[in-house]
């Protein structure tokens, strides 16, 4: 059973371009979570999705950022018109069900976005 | 704002010694989790302790939780060079859909 997969692992974009980060959850997992990690910082929650639905996007910037988790295919975190401050590691995690019953999250290896 | 804060920020020890990291938090929680992150990698879940539990063990790891002091500790016994990593505590509450809120982490270096 493959773990959570993220691609690309490294992404370089110029200011103003779009960044698309992909996350394939573990097999059988229908809950996906996106986090951002700045250097020397902990992970900051961005958005929580269940197939075709956004459950909680309280950590997502209101502008330029969007996320989706379609019925088929990976979850996508999209950043439009990137700025230098978007440079960070973006991690995806998945779980088989919601976390209310202490289900564990499984993290992917992350995508390191560099905006030049 | 950060819910959990780890202490110390950095810890450097010799192989074979024990490493203790602490985590303090502000509001009532449902559970507290500890994660490890090797440099440039994703997070690995170590232990989850529920608010009604006081202590849990997993191999060389021992986690305690004191809800009256709103604090937790992670003890790694007989440390190894391979334990070198950053360690994060994360707290979860029902208000936040039980999504863990992470602290800044403790950077542990174990010298061979």
């Amino acid at each position: 059973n493959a773990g959570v997969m993220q691609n690309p692992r490294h992404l370089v974009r110029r200011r103003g371009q779009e960044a698309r980060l992909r996350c394939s959850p573990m097999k059988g997992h229908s809950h996906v979570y996106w986090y951002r990690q700045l250097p020397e910082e902990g992970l900051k929650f961005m958005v929580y999705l269940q197939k075709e639905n956004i459950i909680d996007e309280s950590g997502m910037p209101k502008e330029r950022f969007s996320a989706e988790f379609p019925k088929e295919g990976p979850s996508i975190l999209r950043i439009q018109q990137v700025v230098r401050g978007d440079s960070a590691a973006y991690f995806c995690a998945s779980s088989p069900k919601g976390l209310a019953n202490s289900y564990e999250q499984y993290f992917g290896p992350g995508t390191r976005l560099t905006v030049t | 704002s950060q819910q959990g804060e780890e202490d110390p920020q950095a810890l450097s020890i010799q192989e074979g010694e024990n490493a203790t990291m602490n985590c303090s938090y502000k509001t009532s929680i449902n559970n507290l989790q500890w994660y490890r992150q090797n440099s440039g990698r994703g997070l690995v879940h170590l232990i989850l302790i529920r608010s009604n539990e006081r202590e849990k063990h997993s191999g060389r790891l021992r986690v305690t939780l004191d809800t009256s002091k709103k604090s937790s500790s992670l003890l790694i016994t007989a440390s190894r060079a391979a334990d070198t990593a950053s360690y994060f505590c994360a707290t979860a509450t029902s208000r936040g859909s039980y999504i863990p809120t992470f602290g800044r982490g403790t950077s542990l270096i174990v010298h061979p």
Side-chain angles (χ1 to χ4, degrees):
Chain A
N1 188 4
V4 177
M5 313 228 347
Q6 289 187 250
N7 65 80
R9 293 293 307 275
H10 299 272
L11 182 61
V12 180
R13 284 284 180 265
R14 291 195 178 89
R15 278 180 299 168
Q17 292 184 319
E18 177 179 290
R20 290 171 70 88
L21 288 61
R22 285 176 290 278
C23 169
S24 296
M26 286 183 71
K27 188 177 180 181
H29 288 196
S30 59
H31 298 250
V32 164
Y33 315 81
W34 284 93
Y35 295 84
R36 177 165 61 179
Q37 184 179 35
L38 295 170
E40 310 301 323
E41 299 265 335
L43 272 67
K44 295 286 195 296
F45 166 73
M46 299 181 74
V47 62
Y48 164 30
L49 310 102
Q50 194 180 355
K51 281 288 186 182
E52 300 186 274
N53 291 305
I54 294 175
I55 307 299
D56 184 340
E57 57 181 348
S58 58
M60 191 96 100
K62 294 287 186 286
E63 297 177 352
R64 301 188 298 109
F65 286 72
S66 63
E68 62 176 10
F69 188 17
K71 188 176 180 181
E72 300 291 338
S75 175
I76 306 285
L77 179 67
R78 184 180 174 210
I79 311 173
Q80 295 177 291
Q81 299 175 327
V82 295
V83 300
R84 288 221 172 98
D86 296 333
S87 295
Y90 291 83
F91 290 95
C92 166
S94 72
S95 63
K97 296 184 180 182
L99 302 177
N101 292 318
S102 301
Y103 281 101
E104 182 180 331
Q105 287 182 314
Y106 294 80
F107 279 84
T111 293
R112 274 146 191 86
L113 172 66
T114 301
V115 179
T116 61
Chain B
S1 63
Q2 301 283 108
Q3 166 67 316
E5 289 291 343
E6 294 88 343
D7 173 68
Q9 286 187 325
L11 183 59
S12 181
I13 59 175
Q14 293 295 130
E15 213 166 27
E17 294 180 339
N18 296 341
T20 299
M21 288 159 268
N22 302 297
C23 171
S24 58
Y25 56 92
K26 295 185 173 66
T27 63
S28 295
I29 59 172
N30 176 269
N31 65 66
L32 185 146
Q33 303 167 47
W34 284 92
Y35 289 82
R36 184 185 73 225
Q37 184 180 36
N38 290 87
S39 180
R41 308 288 291 272
L43 273 72
V44 174
H45 185 269
L46 297 176
I47 287 185
L48 180 150
I49 186 165
R50 294 183 177 84
S51 59
N52 61 352
E53 296 176 313
R54 292 295 165 259
E55 189 170 311
K56 282 188 92 166
H57 297 255
S58 176
R60 294 183 294 112
L61 306 181
R62 172 176 169 253
V63 167
T64 61
L65 179 64
D66 187 335
T67 53
S68 66
K69 294 181 180 177
K70 293 187 168 59
S71 67
S72 173
S73 68
L74 170 67
L75 168 68
I76 304 174
T77 58
S79 63
R80 304 167 183 167
D83 294 328
T84 294
S86 291
Y87 291 81
F88 295 89
C89 74
T91 54
T93 70
S94 57
R95 288 186 63 190
S97 303
Y98 301 94
I99 294 168
T101 301
F102 289 82
R104 294 175 187 269
T106 291
S107 175
L108 172 66
I109 297 176
V110 181
H111 299 279

